[in-house]
Amino acid sequence: MKRTKHGIILKTPEEIAKLRTAAATTMEILLKVAENVAPGITALDIDKLARSYCKEYGVRPAFLGYGGFPGAICVSVNEEVVHGLPTKNKVFKEGDIVSLDFGAVVDGWIGDVAVTVPVGEVSPVAQKLIEVTEKALYKGIEAAKVGGKLIDISRAIQRFVESHGFNVTRGYAGHGIGRSLHEEPQITNYVFKGYPDITLEPGMTFAIEPMVNEGTGKVKVKRDRWTVVTRDGKLSAHFEHDVAITDEGTIIMSAI
């Protein structure tokens, strides 16, 4: 196992192939689950579906029990940013936006992906927020290439988001991905003083995940000790792909 001086685990082409299978499988399950988001459905219903698909695919939910998390999938609604608990009293209604964050362990490798979906017809600002967040993800991916810098990813996301009048969530970040759910490095969606000087190399594998708020980037954790919400109560959206940096170009491993 080769690590960089920053503790980043570099994967071989063979390992990337295995990780790519895990990531694509995870996304396939997530998109099937997301198709069921509708008025009257509960977050618990979504969690049960995620568990059912994991059994069908012969994989293990990566989040279940991780740090004590009680669900197989994070379900965050409207002002909830990330780590939303999949409870029965969280009932979707027309006009909501629902962020689904899901991970699966496939033959020892982990996929970690997220999407935000509208519940029926949503407000123009909610629709714009979803679209900007998804496009910001691809702006970050475009900046992830051999010889570039990790900060290029963060800068690309932040600039795109702010150019559309939104703000990236502070205090939460993307990360390395592999046999562990959270590997080095952290990949914030914004730049800051003292950002680590990391050059992107072949074999690096990341989970890039912009979390974007309608209002400010400030957040807080609810009393359940899991659910992160916007401080101003405004909407938030979340998208995530797993990518690999290679000499042949950047691979979106979770693309299906």
Side-chain angles (χ1 to χ4, degrees):
M1 182 184 295
K2 183 179 179 182
R3 293 178 184 261
T4 71
K5 65 180 180 180
H6 296 280
I8 302 169
I9 301 171
L10 301 179
K11 282 76 174 183
T12 65
E14 293 75 20
E15 289 172 331
I16 288 174
K18 292 176 182 178
L19 188 51
R20 191 173 186 176
T21 297
T25 300
T26 304
M27 180 62 84
E28 187 172 328
I29 293 172
L30 178 61
L31 293 181
K32 285 187 175 183
V33 170
E35 289 176 356
N36 293 273
V37 170
I41 297 296
T42 72
L44 182 60
D45 294 332
I46 293 299
D47 186 73
K48 289 177 178 178
L49 277 170
R51 295 179 193 231
S52 176
Y53 278 122
C54 283
K55 288 182 179 179
E56 181 181 321
Y57 278 73
V59 302
R60 180 168 60 85
F63 297 173
L64 184 60
Y66 184 80
F69 189 76
I73 188 169
C74 297
V75 184
S76 305
V77 182
N78 295 333
E79 76 280 1
E80 296 178 346
V81 182
V82 285
H83 306 160
L85 295 177
T87 58
K88 65 180 180 181
N89 61 355
K90 192 179 290 185
V91 184
F92 307 150
K93 63 183 185 299
E94 183 88 11
D96 286 343
I97 64 172
V98 179
S99 297
L100 303 174
D101 188 2
F102 175 65
V105 184
V106 183
D107 294 329
W109 295 90
I110 297 176
D112 182 10
V113 295
V115 296
T116 298
V117 295
V119 183
E121 186 174 341
V122 300
S123 68
V125 70
Q127 187 61 44
K128 181 183 177 183
L129 178 66
I130 291 171
E131 292 172 359
V132 167
T133 306
E134 185 172 20
K135 289 177 181 177
L137 169 59
Y138 288 99
K139 290 293 183 182
I141 293 171
E142 287 172 10
K145 50 193 174 183
V146 172
K149 297 288 187 178
L150 190 72
I151 197 172
D152 296 338
I153 301 172
S154 303
R155 184 183 291 113
I157 292 170
Q158 182 178 14
R159 283 182 174 174
F160 183 79
V161 167
E162 293 179 353
S163 74
H164 286 82
F166 297 127
N167 283 289
V168 292
T169 300
R170 301 290 167 146
Y172 293 84
H175 48 87
I177 192 79
R179 288 189 175 276
S180 298
L181 180 57
H182 293 107
E183 295 184 354
E184 292 296 333
Q186 282 205 343
I187 309 170
T188 59
N189 297 303
Y190 54 91
V191 299
F192 55 89
K193 186 176 181 181
Y195 196 106
D197 182 21
I198 297 175
T199 300
L200 303 180
E201 302 177 30
M204 290 183 173
T205 52
F206 303 141
I208 299 175
E209 52 177 323
M211 291 151 273
V212 178
N213 298 352
E214 175 193 355
T216 73
K218 295 181 179 180
V219 295
K220 62 182 179 180
V221 180
K222 292 177 69 174
R223 289 183 179 179
D224 63 22
R225 298 184 180 180
W226 283 105
T227 309
V228 179
V229 297
T230 58
R231 280 191 176 272
D232 57 15
K234 293 187 177 182
L235 300 174
S236 186
H238 181 201
F239 281 86
E240 179 178 21
H241 262 312
D242 299 332
V243 304
I245 311 297
T246 79
D247 284 320
E248 289 72 40
T250 298
I251 299 168
I252 303 178
M253 298 186 293
S254 44
I256 60 171

